[in-house]
Amino acid sequence: MKTFLLSITLCFTLLGFSQNDPKAKALLDQVSTKVKSYDNISLDFRYVLHNSAENINQETRGDVVMEGDKYVLNILGITRIYDGKTMYSINPEDEEVTISTENPEDEGSITPSKMLSFYTEGYTYKMGTKENIKGRVIQFVKLTPIDSNSEIDHVLLGIDPQTKHIYNLIEAGNNGTKTTLTVTSFETNQTLSKALFSFNKDKYKNFYINKLN
């Protein structure tokens, strides 16, 4: 789960301009500006984890709705609701709800509301290849972690130059693991229920409530 969330983490402060390809920076800036222009974003995605040495090949699908810092994320059978102050992780299989307080300013706090421009901090970047994928022209940008001790070797970020939306993200780990996040549906400025980001305890009367803090 942490690897998945790291793959969709988002910050908006660019660092290390002098080390970056100006064309790549311009494209990433356009993506970041586009993301910030939306009132809310709804995504469906496919997530694949592959490591041939360990004979691991896992695929899952999920969806997330984001509005500012708030979000509802569904993946691996678990629903996570973050109302801007409190995280509710709902596990129907175990009939358990875990409640915790997250600090968005905490460096270790990885949230989907920071999605789609994680690359703006901690990476240098340069333009990569341009590919035709299922009839769409996708421009890749290669990102390399500034931290030499990072577990990530590099990230390839696929961007649709026409829409300025991220199509996919391919993360190559130093341990041979490759994770790919592909956006299969991207909708914006939807009419959302006011209760969407609220936890309704009445729906989970028979669940065990685990309060972490």
Side-chain angles (χ1 to χ4, degrees), residues 10 12 24-38 41 115-120 139 141 157-161 163-167 186:
L10 193 273
F12 292 109
K25 178 186 180 304
L27 180 58
L28 294 176
D29 280 349
Q30 290 173 339
V31 173
S32 181
T33 298
K34 194 70 174 289
V35 167
K36 288 191 233 181
S37 72
Y38 298 127
I41 298 175
M115 188 176 177
L116 302 181
S117 55
F118 73 94
Y119 49 80
T120 57
Q139 173 66 61
V141 176
L157 193 65
I159 299 169
D160 184 329
T163 63
K164 303 300 186 296
H165 291 166
I166 291 177
Y167 168 74
F186 190 109

PDB file of all heavy atoms in Angstrom, residues 10 12 24-38 41 115-120 139 141 157-161 163-167 186:
ATOM      1  N   LEU A  10       1.958  13.848  -4.230  1.00  0.00           N
ATOM      2  CA  LEU A  10       1.952  15.120  -4.946  1.00  0.00           C
ATOM      3  C   LEU A  10       2.397  16.283  -4.095  1.00  0.00           C
ATOM      4  O   LEU A  10       1.893  16.464  -3.034  1.00  0.00           O
ATOM      5  CB  LEU A  10       0.535  15.340  -5.316  1.00  0.00           C
ATOM      6  CG  LEU A  10      -0.241  16.177  -6.161  1.00  0.00           C
ATOM      7  CD1 LEU A  10      -0.696  17.413  -5.756  1.00  0.00           C
ATOM      8  CD2 LEU A  10      -0.621  15.645  -7.348  1.00  0.00           C
ATOM      9  N   PHE A  12       3.840  20.645  -4.644  1.00  0.00           N
ATOM     10  CA  PHE A  12       3.785  21.702  -5.647  1.00  0.00           C
ATOM     11  C   PHE A  12       4.980  22.643  -5.621  1.00  0.00           C
ATOM     12  O   PHE A  12       4.971  23.648  -6.313  1.00  0.00           O
ATOM     13  CB  PHE A  12       2.499  22.518  -5.487  1.00  0.00           C
ATOM     14  CG  PHE A  12       1.274  21.738  -5.829  1.00  0.00           C
ATOM     15  CD1 PHE A  12       0.398  21.342  -4.839  1.00  0.00           C
ATOM     16  CD2 PHE A  12       1.013  21.384  -7.132  1.00  0.00           C
ATOM     17  CE1 PHE A  12      -0.736  20.618  -5.158  1.00  0.00           C
ATOM     18  CE2 PHE A  12      -0.119  20.661  -7.460  1.00  0.00           C
ATOM     19  CZ  PHE A  12      -0.992  20.271  -6.465  1.00  0.00           C
ATOM     20  N   ALA A  24      11.493  19.928 -20.142  1.00  0.00           N
ATOM     21  CA  ALA A  24      10.802  19.033 -19.214  1.00  0.00           C
ATOM     22  C   ALA A  24      10.137  19.836 -18.107  1.00  0.00           C
ATOM     23  O   ALA A  24       9.005  19.567 -17.722  1.00  0.00           O
ATOM     24  CB  ALA A  24      11.783  18.022 -18.628  1.00  0.00           C
ATOM     25  N   LYS A  25      10.842  20.832 -17.601  1.00  0.00           N
ATOM     26  CA  LYS A  25      10.296  21.675 -16.543  1.00  0.00           C
ATOM     27  C   LYS A  25       9.040  22.402 -17.018  1.00  0.00           C
ATOM     28  O   LYS A  25       8.035  22.474 -16.306  1.00  0.00           O
ATOM     29  CB  LYS A  25      11.320  22.698 -16.074  1.00  0.00           C
ATOM     30  CG  LYS A  25      10.784  23.648 -15.001  1.00  0.00           C
ATOM     31  CD  LYS A  25      11.770  24.737 -14.667  1.00  0.00           C
ATOM     32  CE  LYS A  25      11.206  25.669 -13.603  1.00  0.00           C
ATOM     33  NZ  LYS A  25       9.926  26.278 -13.931  1.00  0.00           N
ATOM     34  N   ALA A  26       9.090  22.923 -18.238  1.00  0.00           N
ATOM     35  CA  ALA A  26       7.941  23.652 -18.783  1.00  0.00           C
ATOM     36  C   ALA A  26       6.719  22.737 -18.888  1.00  0.00           C
ATOM     37  O   ALA A  26       5.598  23.131 -18.540  1.00  0.00           O
ATOM     38  CB  ALA A  26       8.288  24.230 -20.153  1.00  0.00           C
ATOM     39  N   LEU A  27       6.932  21.501 -19.348  1.00  0.00           N
ATOM     40  CA  LEU A  27       5.824  20.557 -19.483  1.00  0.00           C
ATOM     41  C   LEU A  27       5.267  20.186 -18.111  1.00  0.00           C
ATOM     42  O   LEU A  27       4.047  20.156 -17.909  1.00  0.00           O
ATOM     43  CB  LEU A  27       6.280  19.307 -20.234  1.00  0.00           C
ATOM     44  CG  LEU A  27       5.223  18.216 -20.450  1.00  0.00           C
ATOM     45  CD1 LEU A  27       4.028  18.773 -21.223  1.00  0.00           C
ATOM     46  CD2 LEU A  27       5.827  17.025 -21.191  1.00  0.00           C
ATOM     47  N   LEU A  28       6.141  19.911 -17.144  1.00  0.00           N
ATOM     48  CA  LEU A  28       5.696  19.556 -15.802  1.00  0.00           C
ATOM     49  C   LEU A  28       4.967  20.714 -15.131  1.00  0.00           C
ATOM     50  O   LEU A  28       3.988  20.510 -14.399  1.00  0.00           O
ATOM     51  CB  LEU A  28       6.892  19.117 -14.951  1.00  0.00           C
ATOM     52  CG  LEU A  28       7.578  17.819 -15.394  1.00  0.00           C
ATOM     53  CD1 LEU A  28       8.798  17.542 -14.531  1.00  0.00           C
ATOM     54  CD2 LEU A  28       6.617  16.644 -15.342  1.00  0.00           C
ATOM     55  N   ASP A  29       5.436  21.926 -15.376  1.00  0.00           N
ATOM     56  CA  ASP A  29       4.747  23.106 -14.836  1.00  0.00           C
ATOM     57  C   ASP A  29       3.321  23.201 -15.386  1.00  0.00           C
ATOM     58  O   ASP A  29       2.378  23.546 -14.675  1.00  0.00           O
ATOM     59  CB  ASP A  29       5.511  24.382 -15.189  1.00  0.00           C
ATOM     60  CG  ASP A  29       6.705  24.625 -14.277  1.00  0.00           C
ATOM     61  OD1 ASP A  29       6.819  23.923 -13.248  1.00  0.00           O
ATOM     62  OD2 ASP A  29       7.514  25.513 -14.594  1.00  0.00           O
ATOM     63  N   GLN A  30       3.168  22.900 -16.679  1.00  0.00           N
ATOM     64  CA  GLN A  30       1.851  22.952 -17.304  1.00  0.00           C
ATOM     65  C   GLN A  30       0.920  21.905 -16.695  1.00  0.00           C
ATOM     66  O   GLN A  30      -0.267  22.169 -16.466  1.00  0.00           O
ATOM     67  CB  GLN A  30       1.978  22.734 -18.816  1.00  0.00           C
ATOM     68  CG  GLN A  30       2.636  23.888 -19.549  1.00  0.00           C
ATOM     69  CD  GLN A  30       2.898  23.566 -21.012  1.00  0.00           C
ATOM     70  OE1 GLN A  30       2.965  22.411 -21.414  1.00  0.00           O
ATOM     71  NE2 GLN A  30       3.023  24.603 -21.820  1.00  0.00           N
ATOM     72  N   VAL A  31       1.467  20.704 -16.420  1.00  0.00           N
ATOM     73  CA  VAL A  31       0.668  19.650 -15.790  1.00  0.00           C
ATOM     74  C   VAL A  31       0.236  20.073 -14.398  1.00  0.00           C
ATOM     75  O   VAL A  31      -0.932  19.935 -14.015  1.00  0.00           O
ATOM     76  CB  VAL A  31       1.473  18.330 -15.721  1.00  0.00           C
ATOM     77  CG1 VAL A  31       0.708  17.280 -14.911  1.00  0.00           C
ATOM     78  CG2 VAL A  31       1.761  17.802 -17.120  1.00  0.00           C
ATOM     79  N   SER A  32       1.170  20.621 -13.620  1.00  0.00           N
ATOM     80  CA  SER A  32       0.874  21.055 -12.259  1.00  0.00           C
ATOM     81  C   SER A  32      -0.187  22.157 -12.244  1.00  0.00           C
ATOM     82  O   SER A  32      -1.127  22.134 -11.443  1.00  0.00           O
ATOM     83  CB  SER A  32       2.150  21.550 -11.581  1.00  0.00           C
ATOM     84  OG  SER A  32       1.894  21.957 -10.260  1.00  0.00           O
ATOM     85  N   THR A  33      -0.059  23.117 -13.157  1.00  0.00           N
ATOM     86  CA  THR A  33      -1.032  24.211 -13.249  1.00  0.00           C
ATOM     87  C   THR A  33      -2.415  23.679 -13.616  1.00  0.00           C
ATOM     88  O   THR A  33      -3.433  24.121 -13.065  1.00  0.00           O
ATOM     89  CB  THR A  33      -0.578  25.243 -14.303  1.00  0.00           C
ATOM     90  OG1 THR A  33       0.677  25.795 -13.895  1.00  0.00           O
ATOM     91  CG2 THR A  33      -1.597  26.363 -14.448  1.00  0.00           C
ATOM     92  N   LYS A  34      -2.456  22.713 -14.534  1.00  0.00           N
ATOM     93  CA  LYS A  34      -3.733  22.132 -14.952  1.00  0.00           C
ATOM     94  C   LYS A  34      -4.402  21.413 -13.788  1.00  0.00           C
ATOM     95  O   LYS A  34      -5.617  21.570 -13.563  1.00  0.00           O
ATOM     96  CB  LYS A  34      -3.483  21.154 -16.114  1.00  0.00           C
ATOM     97  CG  LYS A  34      -4.722  20.727 -16.880  1.00  0.00           C
ATOM     98  CD  LYS A  34      -5.291  21.868 -17.685  1.00  0.00           C
ATOM     99  CE  LYS A  34      -6.443  21.457 -18.575  1.00  0.00           C
ATOM    100  NZ  LYS A  34      -6.022  20.625 -19.717  1.00  0.00           N
ATOM    101  N   VAL A  35      -3.625  20.634 -13.036  1.00  0.00           N
ATOM    102  CA  VAL A  35      -4.176  19.901 -11.899  1.00  0.00           C
ATOM    103  C   VAL A  35      -4.772  20.861 -10.873  1.00  0.00           C
ATOM    104  O   VAL A  35      -5.861  20.648 -10.341  1.00  0.00           O
ATOM    105  CB  VAL A  35      -3.085  19.025 -11.240  1.00  0.00           C
ATOM    106  CG1 VAL A  35      -3.556  18.502  -9.885  1.00  0.00           C
ATOM    107  CG2 VAL A  35      -2.724  17.866 -12.153  1.00  0.00           C
ATOM    108  N   LYS A  36      -4.052  21.946 -10.604  1.00  0.00           N
ATOM    109  CA  LYS A  36      -4.509  22.900  -9.592  1.00  0.00           C
ATOM    110  C   LYS A  36      -5.756  23.669 -10.030  1.00  0.00           C
ATOM    111  O   LYS A  36      -6.447  24.245  -9.199  1.00  0.00           O
ATOM    112  CB  LYS A  36      -3.397  23.900  -9.285  1.00  0.00           C
ATOM    113  CG  LYS A  36      -2.253  23.317  -8.510  1.00  0.00           C
ATOM    114  CD  LYS A  36      -1.360  24.454  -8.043  1.00  0.00           C
ATOM    115  CE  LYS A  36       0.056  24.225  -8.443  1.00  0.00           C
ATOM    116  NZ  LYS A  36       0.957  25.284  -7.981  1.00  0.00           N
ATOM    117  N   SER A  37      -6.044  23.677 -11.324  1.00  0.00           N
ATOM    118  CA  SER A  37      -7.182  24.458 -11.826  1.00  0.00           C
ATOM    119  C   SER A  37      -8.523  23.770 -11.579  1.00  0.00           C
ATOM    120  O   SER A  37      -9.569  24.397 -11.713  1.00  0.00           O
ATOM    121  CB  SER A  37      -7.016  24.720 -13.325  1.00  0.00           C
ATOM    122  OG  SER A  37      -7.224  23.530 -14.086  1.00  0.00           O
ATOM    123  N   TYR A  38      -8.499  22.482 -11.221  1.00  0.00           N
ATOM    124  CA  TYR A  38      -9.747  21.733 -11.055  1.00  0.00           C
ATOM    125  C   TYR A  38     -10.277  21.824  -9.625  1.00  0.00           C
ATOM    126  O   TYR A  38      -9.505  21.802  -8.662  1.00  0.00           O
ATOM    127  CB  TYR A  38      -9.529  20.261 -11.409  1.00  0.00           C
ATOM    128  CG  TYR A  38      -9.118  20.027 -12.846  1.00  0.00           C
ATOM    129  CD1 TYR A  38      -7.978  19.290 -13.148  1.00  0.00           C
ATOM    130  CD2 TYR A  38      -9.864  20.534 -13.896  1.00  0.00           C
ATOM    131  CE1 TYR A  38      -7.593  19.068 -14.454  1.00  0.00           C
ATOM    132  CE2 TYR A  38      -9.491  20.317 -15.216  1.00  0.00           C
ATOM    133  CZ  TYR A  38      -8.349  19.584 -15.487  1.00  0.00           C
ATOM    134  OH  TYR A  38      -7.969  19.370 -16.789  1.00  0.00           O
ATOM    135  N   ILE A  41     -11.076  16.033  -8.701  1.00  0.00           N
ATOM    136  CA  ILE A  41     -10.600  15.087  -9.705  1.00  0.00           C
ATOM    137  C   ILE A  41     -11.055  13.691  -9.317  1.00  0.00           C
ATOM    138  O   ILE A  41     -10.949  13.293  -8.149  1.00  0.00           O
ATOM    139  CB  ILE A  41      -9.058  15.108  -9.813  1.00  0.00           C
ATOM    140  CG1 ILE A  41      -8.570  16.485 -10.268  1.00  0.00           C
ATOM    141  CG2 ILE A  41      -8.560  14.026 -10.769  1.00  0.00           C
ATOM    142  CD1 ILE A  41      -7.053  16.623 -10.273  1.00  0.00           C
ATOM    143  N   MET A 115      -1.511  13.789  -5.281  1.00  0.00           N
ATOM    144  CA  MET A 115      -1.302  13.022  -6.498  1.00  0.00           C
ATOM    145  C   MET A 115      -1.017  13.902  -7.702  1.00  0.00           C
ATOM    146  O   MET A 115      -1.376  15.059  -7.721  1.00  0.00           O
ATOM    147  CB  MET A 115      -2.539  12.167  -6.769  1.00  0.00           C
ATOM    148  CG  MET A 115      -2.400  11.185  -7.896  1.00  0.00           C
ATOM    149  SD  MET A 115      -3.901  10.184  -8.022  1.00  0.00           S
ATOM    150  CE  MET A 115      -3.517   9.200  -9.451  1.00  0.00           C
ATOM    151  N   LEU A 116      -0.375  13.301  -8.701  1.00  0.00           N
ATOM    152  CA  LEU A 116      -0.223  13.836 -10.048  1.00  0.00           C
ATOM    153  C   LEU A 116       0.856  14.897 -10.217  1.00  0.00           C
ATOM    154  O   LEU A 116       1.064  15.362 -11.325  1.00  0.00           O
ATOM    155  CB  LEU A 116      -1.563  14.392 -10.587  1.00  0.00           C
ATOM    156  CG  LEU A 116      -2.719  13.411 -10.637  1.00  0.00           C
ATOM    157  CD1 LEU A 116      -3.938  14.106 -11.203  1.00  0.00           C
ATOM    158  CD2 LEU A 116      -2.375  12.200 -11.449  1.00  0.00           C
ATOM    159  N   SER A 117       1.527  15.317  -9.168  1.00  0.00           N
ATOM    160  CA  SER A 117       2.708  16.161  -9.372  1.00  0.00           C
ATOM    161  C   SER A 117       3.732  15.952  -8.260  1.00  0.00           C
ATOM    162  O   SER A 117       4.389  16.862  -7.840  1.00  0.00           O
ATOM    163  CB  SER A 117       2.329  17.640  -9.495  1.00  0.00           C
ATOM    164  OG  SER A 117       1.589  18.085  -8.401  1.00  0.00           O
ATOM    165  N   PHE A 118       3.814  14.702  -7.793  1.00  0.00           N
ATOM    166  CA  PHE A 118       4.813  14.311  -6.804  1.00  0.00           C
ATOM    167  C   PHE A 118       6.214  14.689  -7.270  1.00  0.00           C
ATOM    168  O   PHE A 118       7.104  14.952  -6.471  1.00  0.00           O
ATOM    169  CB  PHE A 118       4.775  12.784  -6.616  1.00  0.00           C
ATOM    170  CG  PHE A 118       5.367  12.067  -7.781  1.00  0.00           C
ATOM    171  CD1 PHE A 118       6.694  11.685  -7.777  1.00  0.00           C
ATOM    172  CD2 PHE A 118       4.619  11.853  -8.907  1.00  0.00           C
ATOM    173  CE1 PHE A 118       7.250  11.069  -8.888  1.00  0.00           C
ATOM    174  CE2 PHE A 118       5.170  11.241 -10.007  1.00  0.00           C
ATOM    175  CZ  PHE A 118       6.488  10.845 -10.001  1.00  0.00           C
ATOM    176  N   TYR A 119       6.399  14.712  -8.580  1.00  0.00           N
ATOM    177  CA  TYR A 119       7.693  14.908  -9.220  1.00  0.00           C
ATOM    178  C   TYR A 119       8.276  16.286  -8.975  1.00  0.00           C
ATOM    179  O   TYR A 119       9.426  16.548  -9.326  1.00  0.00           O
ATOM    180  CB  TYR A 119       7.533  14.715 -10.733  1.00  0.00           C
ATOM    181  CG  TYR A 119       6.374  15.499 -11.281  1.00  0.00           C
ATOM    182  CD1 TYR A 119       6.489  16.865 -11.537  1.00  0.00           C
ATOM    183  CD2 TYR A 119       5.144  14.904 -11.493  1.00  0.00           C
ATOM    184  CE1 TYR A 119       5.418  17.601 -12.000  1.00  0.00           C
ATOM    185  CE2 TYR A 119       4.063  15.630 -11.960  1.00  0.00           C
ATOM    186  CZ  TYR A 119       4.209  16.969 -12.211  1.00  0.00           C
ATOM    187  OH  TYR A 119       3.142  17.702 -12.655  1.00  0.00           O
ATOM    188  N   THR A 120       7.504  17.200  -8.431  1.00  0.00           N
ATOM    189  CA  THR A 120       7.983  18.564  -8.311  1.00  0.00           C
ATOM    190  C   THR A 120       8.905  18.770  -7.121  1.00  0.00           C
ATOM    191  O   THR A 120       9.356  19.873  -6.877  1.00  0.00           O
ATOM    192  CB  THR A 120       6.792  19.542  -8.204  1.00  0.00           C
ATOM    193  OG1 THR A 120       5.974  19.164  -7.093  1.00  0.00           O
ATOM    194  CG2 THR A 120       5.959  19.527  -9.477  1.00  0.00           C
ATOM    195  N   GLN A 139       4.240  11.755 -24.136  1.00  0.00           N
ATOM    196  CA  GLN A 139       5.602  12.247 -23.934  1.00  0.00           C
ATOM    197  C   GLN A 139       6.080  11.816 -22.546  1.00  0.00           C
ATOM    198  O   GLN A 139       5.453  12.112 -21.542  1.00  0.00           O
ATOM    199  CB  GLN A 139       5.643  13.771 -24.033  1.00  0.00           C
ATOM    200  CG  GLN A 139       6.979  14.390 -23.675  1.00  0.00           C
ATOM    201  CD  GLN A 139       8.077  14.013 -24.664  1.00  0.00           C
ATOM    202  OE1 GLN A 139       7.972  14.322 -25.848  1.00  0.00           O
ATOM    203  NE2 GLN A 139       9.119  13.346 -24.191  1.00  0.00           N
ATOM    204  N   VAL A 141       8.807  11.828 -19.431  1.00  0.00           N
ATOM    205  CA  VAL A 141       9.832  12.610 -18.749  1.00  0.00           C
ATOM    206  C   VAL A 141      10.520  11.675 -17.769  1.00  0.00           C
ATOM    207  O   VAL A 141       9.848  10.972 -17.008  1.00  0.00           O
ATOM    208  CB  VAL A 141       9.230  13.813 -17.998  1.00  0.00           C
ATOM    209  CG1 VAL A 141      10.304  14.551 -17.206  1.00  0.00           C
ATOM    210  CG2 VAL A 141       8.533  14.759 -18.963  1.00  0.00           C
ATOM    211  N   LEU A 157       7.550   9.336 -16.319  1.00  0.00           N
ATOM    212  CA  LEU A 157       6.230   9.938 -16.202  1.00  0.00           C
ATOM    213  C   LEU A 157       5.678  10.169 -17.600  1.00  0.00           C
ATOM    214  O   LEU A 157       6.243  10.940 -18.378  1.00  0.00           O
ATOM    215  CB  LEU A 157       6.321  11.252 -15.436  1.00  0.00           C
ATOM    216  CG  LEU A 157       5.015  11.868 -14.945  1.00  0.00           C
ATOM    217  CD1 LEU A 157       4.360  10.968 -13.904  1.00  0.00           C
ATOM    218  CD2 LEU A 157       5.271  13.245 -14.354  1.00  0.00           C
ATOM    219  N   GLY A 158       4.592   9.483 -17.939  1.00  0.00           N
ATOM    220  CA  GLY A 158       3.981   9.628 -19.260  1.00  0.00           C
ATOM    221  C   GLY A 158       2.909  10.695 -19.244  1.00  0.00           C
ATOM    222  O   GLY A 158       1.968  10.627 -18.452  1.00  0.00           O
ATOM    223  N   ILE A 159       3.033  11.685 -20.103  1.00  0.00           N
ATOM    224  CA  ILE A 159       2.123  12.828 -20.130  1.00  0.00           C
ATOM    225  C   ILE A 159       1.497  12.968 -21.513  1.00  0.00           C
ATOM    226  O   ILE A 159       2.180  12.857 -22.530  1.00  0.00           O
ATOM    227  CB  ILE A 159       2.881  14.126 -19.775  1.00  0.00           C
ATOM    228  CG1 ILE A 159       3.468  14.026 -18.367  1.00  0.00           C
ATOM    229  CG2 ILE A 159       1.985  15.348 -19.903  1.00  0.00           C
ATOM    230  CD1 ILE A 159       4.444  15.139 -18.035  1.00  0.00           C
ATOM    231  N   ASP A 160       0.194  13.216 -21.536  1.00  0.00           N
ATOM    232  CA  ASP A 160      -0.491  13.525 -22.785  1.00  0.00           C
ATOM    233  C   ASP A 160      -0.288  15.017 -23.052  1.00  0.00           C
ATOM    234  O   ASP A 160      -0.850  15.850 -22.336  1.00  0.00           O
ATOM    235  CB  ASP A 160      -1.978  13.200 -22.647  1.00  0.00           C
ATOM    236  CG  ASP A 160      -2.748  13.398 -23.950  1.00  0.00           C
ATOM    237  OD1 ASP A 160      -2.363  14.286 -24.744  1.00  0.00           O
ATOM    238  OD2 ASP A 160      -3.751  12.688 -24.166  1.00  0.00           O
ATOM    239  N   PRO A 161       0.501  15.398 -24.064  1.00  0.00           N
ATOM    240  CA  PRO A 161       0.798  16.815 -24.309  1.00  0.00           C
ATOM    241  C   PRO A 161      -0.435  17.636 -24.682  1.00  0.00           C
ATOM    242  O   PRO A 161      -0.438  18.858 -24.513  1.00  0.00           O
ATOM    243  CB  PRO A 161       1.795  16.781 -25.478  1.00  0.00           C
ATOM    244  CG  PRO A 161       2.319  15.375 -25.501  1.00  0.00           C
ATOM    245  CD  PRO A 161       1.191  14.529 -25.018  1.00  0.00           C
ATOM    246  N   THR A 163      -3.740  17.186 -23.472  1.00  0.00           N
ATOM    247  CA  THR A 163      -4.593  17.466 -22.316  1.00  0.00           C
ATOM    248  C   THR A 163      -3.803  17.961 -21.109  1.00  0.00           C
ATOM    249  O   THR A 163      -4.390  18.507 -20.175  1.00  0.00           O
ATOM    250  CB  THR A 163      -5.356  16.199 -21.900  1.00  0.00           C
ATOM    251  OG1 THR A 163      -4.400  15.194 -21.490  1.00  0.00           O
ATOM    252  CG2 THR A 163      -6.192  15.667 -23.051  1.00  0.00           C
ATOM    253  N   LYS A 164      -2.473  17.732 -21.118  1.00  0.00           N
ATOM    254  CA  LYS A 164      -1.610  18.039 -19.970  1.00  0.00           C
ATOM    255  C   LYS A 164      -1.998  17.191 -18.756  1.00  0.00           C
ATOM    256  O   LYS A 164      -1.802  17.594 -17.611  1.00  0.00           O
ATOM    257  CB  LYS A 164      -1.665  19.533 -19.619  1.00  0.00           C
ATOM    258  CG  LYS A 164      -1.281  20.449 -20.770  1.00  0.00           C
ATOM    259  CD  LYS A 164       0.130  20.189 -21.265  1.00  0.00           C
ATOM    260  CE  LYS A 164       0.592  21.189 -22.317  1.00  0.00           C
ATOM    261  NZ  LYS A 164      -0.175  21.142 -23.569  1.00  0.00           N
ATOM    262  N   HIS A 165      -2.518  15.993 -19.027  1.00  0.00           N
ATOM    263  CA  HIS A 165      -2.850  15.049 -17.972  1.00  0.00           C
ATOM    264  C   HIS A 165      -1.803  13.939 -17.940  1.00  0.00           C
ATOM    265  O   HIS A 165      -1.226  13.585 -18.981  1.00  0.00           O
ATOM    266  CB  HIS A 165      -4.218  14.412 -18.198  1.00  0.00           C
ATOM    267  CG  HIS A 165      -5.349  15.372 -18.035  1.00  0.00           C
ATOM    268  ND1 HIS A 165      -6.629  15.095 -18.462  1.00  0.00           N
ATOM    269  CD2 HIS A 165      -5.408  16.607 -17.472  1.00  0.00           C
ATOM    270  CE1 HIS A 165      -7.418  16.120 -18.188  1.00  0.00           C
ATOM    271  NE2 HIS A 165      -6.705  17.048 -17.589  1.00  0.00           N
ATOM    272  N   ILE A 166      -1.576  13.375 -16.758  1.00  0.00           N
ATOM    273  CA  ILE A 166      -0.667  12.245 -16.639  1.00  0.00           C
ATOM    274  C   ILE A 166      -1.380  10.980 -17.108  1.00  0.00           C
ATOM    275  O   ILE A 166      -2.496  10.683 -16.673  1.00  0.00           O
ATOM    276  CB  ILE A 166      -0.184  12.084 -15.191  1.00  0.00           C
ATOM    277  CG1 ILE A 166       0.739  13.250 -14.822  1.00  0.00           C
ATOM    278  CG2 ILE A 166       0.553  10.759 -15.000  1.00  0.00           C
ATOM    279  CD1 ILE A 166       1.215  13.237 -13.390  1.00  0.00           C
ATOM    280  N   TYR A 167      -0.737  10.249 -18.004  1.00  0.00           N
ATOM    281  CA  TYR A 167      -1.287   8.998 -18.514  1.00  0.00           C
ATOM    282  C   TYR A 167      -0.822   7.823 -17.655  1.00  0.00           C
ATOM    283  O   TYR A 167      -1.611   6.961 -17.274  1.00  0.00           O
ATOM    284  CB  TYR A 167      -0.869   8.795 -19.973  1.00  0.00           C
ATOM    285  CG  TYR A 167      -1.144   7.397 -20.486  1.00  0.00           C
ATOM    286  CD1 TYR A 167      -2.447   7.000 -20.782  1.00  0.00           C
ATOM    287  CD2 TYR A 167      -0.105   6.486 -20.670  1.00  0.00           C
ATOM    288  CE1 TYR A 167      -2.702   5.719 -21.243  1.00  0.00           C
ATOM    289  CE2 TYR A 167      -0.359   5.202 -21.121  1.00  0.00           C
ATOM    290  CZ  TYR A 167      -1.655   4.824 -21.409  1.00  0.00           C
ATOM    291  OH  TYR A 167      -1.920   3.560 -21.857  1.00  0.00           O
ATOM    292  N   PHE A 186     -10.278   9.694 -16.265  1.00  0.00           N
ATOM    293  CA  PHE A 186      -9.917  10.961 -15.633  1.00  0.00           C
ATOM    294  C   PHE A 186     -11.071  11.935 -15.816  1.00  0.00           C
ATOM    295  O   PHE A 186     -11.381  12.327 -16.929  1.00  0.00           O
ATOM    296  CB  PHE A 186      -8.644  11.513 -16.290  1.00  0.00           C
ATOM    297  CG  PHE A 186      -8.016  12.685 -15.583  1.00  0.00           C
ATOM    298  CD1 PHE A 186      -6.818  12.547 -14.907  1.00  0.00           C
ATOM    299  CD2 PHE A 186      -8.614  13.945 -15.602  1.00  0.00           C
ATOM    300  CE1 PHE A 186      -6.216  13.625 -14.268  1.00  0.00           C
ATOM    301  CE2 PHE A 186      -8.041  15.025 -14.963  1.00  0.00           C
ATOM    302  CZ  PHE A 186      -6.827  14.871 -14.287  1.00  0.00           C
TER     303      PHE A 186
END
